[in-house]
Amino acid sequence: MRRHCARRRLSPAAVVLLLLALFLTPTPPTAAQSEEPQEAEIERTTFLPQVFYVGDRVEMRVAFRTSPGAAPRLPAESPSIAWGTLHRVRLAEVSGGWELRVAFTPYQPGTQTLPAMELGDVYLRGIDVPVPSILDADRSELAPLRDQLLLPATRMLLAAAVAVLVIIPAVWFVFFRWGRRRFRDLLTRYRDALPYRRINRSLRQLGNEMDDMSDRDFYIQLLSDFRSYLSRRMHTEAFSATTEELAGELERYIPTEEDREAVLEVFKFGDRVKFASQRASTRARSDHLEAVMRVLRHVERKRESRNRTREEKVREKRGAHSGV
C-alpha cells in the first residue's frame, strides 16, 4: 500500500509574516560587544626626589603591567587633587610595561591618595603619596612670630648712608671754615721748603760719591746745586751770574758776613779748580761741602723764624678782625 505524503502549500501572506518574525527577533550575542577597563597591576612607585616635604615639587613614577592587547592612553582631562597642585601627567612605555609620571606639589602633610585614573583599557587606583612635614612630629602648635631678619650688609649700608648724609657734609663744612686755610698754609710751607730739601738730598748724595769723582766734577756739581738753590730762593738767574756778581746778591739773602765769606770762598776755590786745574785734597772738598751745608742750615733757620713771626702777626690780625 502506497503511502502518499500530502504537502501543504503556504499562502503568500504567511510567508511575509514569517520573514517579519525572523527579522524582528533579536539575535543572541556571540561575544561581548564592549569590555569594561581592567585594573592594572602596580609594580613599584618611586619619587624624585626621594625625600621631599610640603611645598616641594615632586615627580612620582608608577610602573604597572597590563593584560596582553591592552593599550593604555592618557585621559582627555587630567584629574585634580585637593591636597596640592597637579602640574603634569605623562605616560611612557618602558621595558616590560608602562610608567605613569605625575608631577605635583603637595601642600598638606600626611598620607595622601591620588585619585583613580582611567587610562584607556586600564585604570589605576589606590596610589598613596606620603607627604612628610618639615616640623617635628610632636610639634602640634604653631611657632610664635619672630623678628624680621636683616639683609646681608644692611648695617654697612646704613653706616654709609649716615656718612653721606651727616659726616661728609660736616667734614666739608669744617674743611671750608677752618681746614681750607690750614691746608693752604701747609701747602705753602711744603712748597717753600722744597728747594732746601732738594739741595740737601743732592749734597748728601754728592758726599757719598765724592771719593769716586774728580776734583773738577765735584766742584761743578757742588756749585751747580748751590746756584740752582739760589735761583729758586732769590728768583734770579744765578747760573749766568759770575762769582763777583753773586757776591752782591748774597749780601741781600745771607745776612751773616761769616756765612757769605764761606760761600764766596767755596765759589772762588771751585773756579780755580775748574778753570786753572788746581788740585783739591779730599779734606778740602769735605770742608767745602760741610761749609755749604752749614750755611744752608743757617739760612733756612732764619727763614723759618721770619715766617713764624709773619704768621703770628697774620693770626693776631685775623683774631682782631673776628673779635670786632
Side-chain angles (χ1 to χ4, degrees):
M1 178 178 175
R2 286 183 179 179
R3 299 179 63 182
H4 296 279
C5 294
R7 296 181 178 179
R8 186 178 178 180
R9 300 180 64 181
L10 297 176
S11 63
V15 173
V16 172
L17 292 175
L18 181 60
L19 292 176
L20 289 174
L22 291 175
F23 278 108
L24 293 177
T25 303
T27 303
T30 59
Q33 298 296 327
S34 61
E35 296 182 357
E36 294 294 331
Q38 299 179 359
E39 184 176 359
E41 180 184 355
I42 298 177
E43 292 186 340
R44 65 183 181 276
T45 302
T46 57
F47 296 93
L48 299 176
Q50 295 182 358
V51 179
F52 60 92
Y53 299 96
V54 173
D56 294 341
R57 185 178 177 124
V58 188
E59 182 176 276
M60 179 178 63
R61 296 185 178 182
V62 182
F64 62 93
R65 290 183 179 275
T66 62
S67 59
R73 61 181 180 274
L74 290 175
E77 295 183 1
S78 298
S80 60
I81 54 178
W83 45 269
T85 300
L86 192 63
H87 303 292
R88 184 180 65 250
V89 179
R90 293 187 299 171
L91 191 62
E93 187 175 3
V94 297
S95 59
W98 294 82
E99 192 173 73
L100 180 67
R101 300 176 180 179
V102 182
F104 62 91
T105 300
Y107 295 121
Q108 294 181 10
T111 301
Q112 309 297 336
T113 303
L114 198 69
M117 299 184 64
E118 185 175 342
L119 305 173
D121 297 339
V122 298
Y123 69 90
L124 297 174
R125 66 177 180 177
I127 303 175
D128 292 334
V129 181
V131 183
S133 176
I134 197 171
L135 300 176
D136 297 334
D138 56 349
R139 187 170 183 177
S140 59
E141 297 181 358
L142 295 176
L145 295 177
R146 296 182 179 180
D147 295 335
Q148 293 184 352
L149 296 177
L150 294 178
L151 294 175
T154 300
R155 301 185 196 282
M156 183 179 65
L157 292 176
L158 290 176
V162 171
V164 171
L165 297 177
V166 178
I167 299 178
I168 293 180
V171 171
W172 187 261
F173 177 78
V174 172
F175 174 77
F176 268 92
R177 290 295 301 270
W178 176 81
R180 184 174 57 177
R181 185 185 307 133
R182 255 337 234 210
F183 178 77
R184 186 172 58 248
D185 294 341
L186 291 175
L187 184 60
T188 302
R189 291 181 182 179
Y190 174 82
R191 292 176 177 175
D192 188 65
L194 190 59
Y196 176 68
R197 286 200 301 271
R198 287 179 177 175
I199 190 173
N200 191 42
R201 182 171 58 251
S202 180
L203 293 181
R204 290 183 182 277
Q205 183 178 358
L206 181 62
N208 296 331
E209 301 173 355
M210 180 175 56
D211 296 337
D212 299 329
M213 301 175 64
S214 63
D215 298 342
R216 189 171 185 275
D217 292 339
F218 171 80
Y219 281 98
I220 288 176
Q221 183 66 40
L222 176 61
L223 299 182
S224 177
D225 289 343
F226 198 82
R227 287 177 181 272
S228 176
Y229 169 81
L230 292 177
S231 297
R232 292 188 177 94
R233 278 294 185 231
M234 297 188 303
H235 303 287
T236 184
E237 188 57 42
F239 283 97
S240 60
T242 63
T243 302
E244 297 298 331
E245 292 173 344
L246 284 176
E249 295 292 339
L250 293 178
E251 291 182 0
R252 180 173 59 88
Y253 189 72
I254 302 177
T256 306
E257 183 178 358
E258 181 181 359
D259 290 339
R260 290 198 302 269
E261 293 294 334
V263 171
L264 291 175
E265 172 62 26
V266 174
F267 269 86
K268 293 176 181 179
F269 189 89
D271 289 341
R272 291 196 297 269
V273 172
K274 291 191 298 180
F275 303 114
S277 300
Q278 181 175 338
R279 300 291 299 173
S281 63
T282 304
R283 179 68 180 181
R285 286 188 290 178
S286 179
D287 291 343
H288 288 160
L289 179 61
E290 180 61 31
V292 171
M293 297 180 69
R294 184 178 65 253
V295 171
L296 290 174
R297 287 195 296 268
H298 294 169
V299 172
E300 290 298 323
R301 289 197 189 103
K302 292 184 178 297
R303 282 181 54 83
E304 291 178 0
S305 178
R306 290 196 301 269
N307 290 337
R308 281 197 299 267
T309 303
R310 189 182 302 111
E311 290 176 0
E312 290 175 358
K313 292 181 179 180
V314 171
R315 282 196 295 267
E316 291 177 358
K317 186 176 181 180
R318 289 174 179 173
H321 282 291
S322 61
V324 175

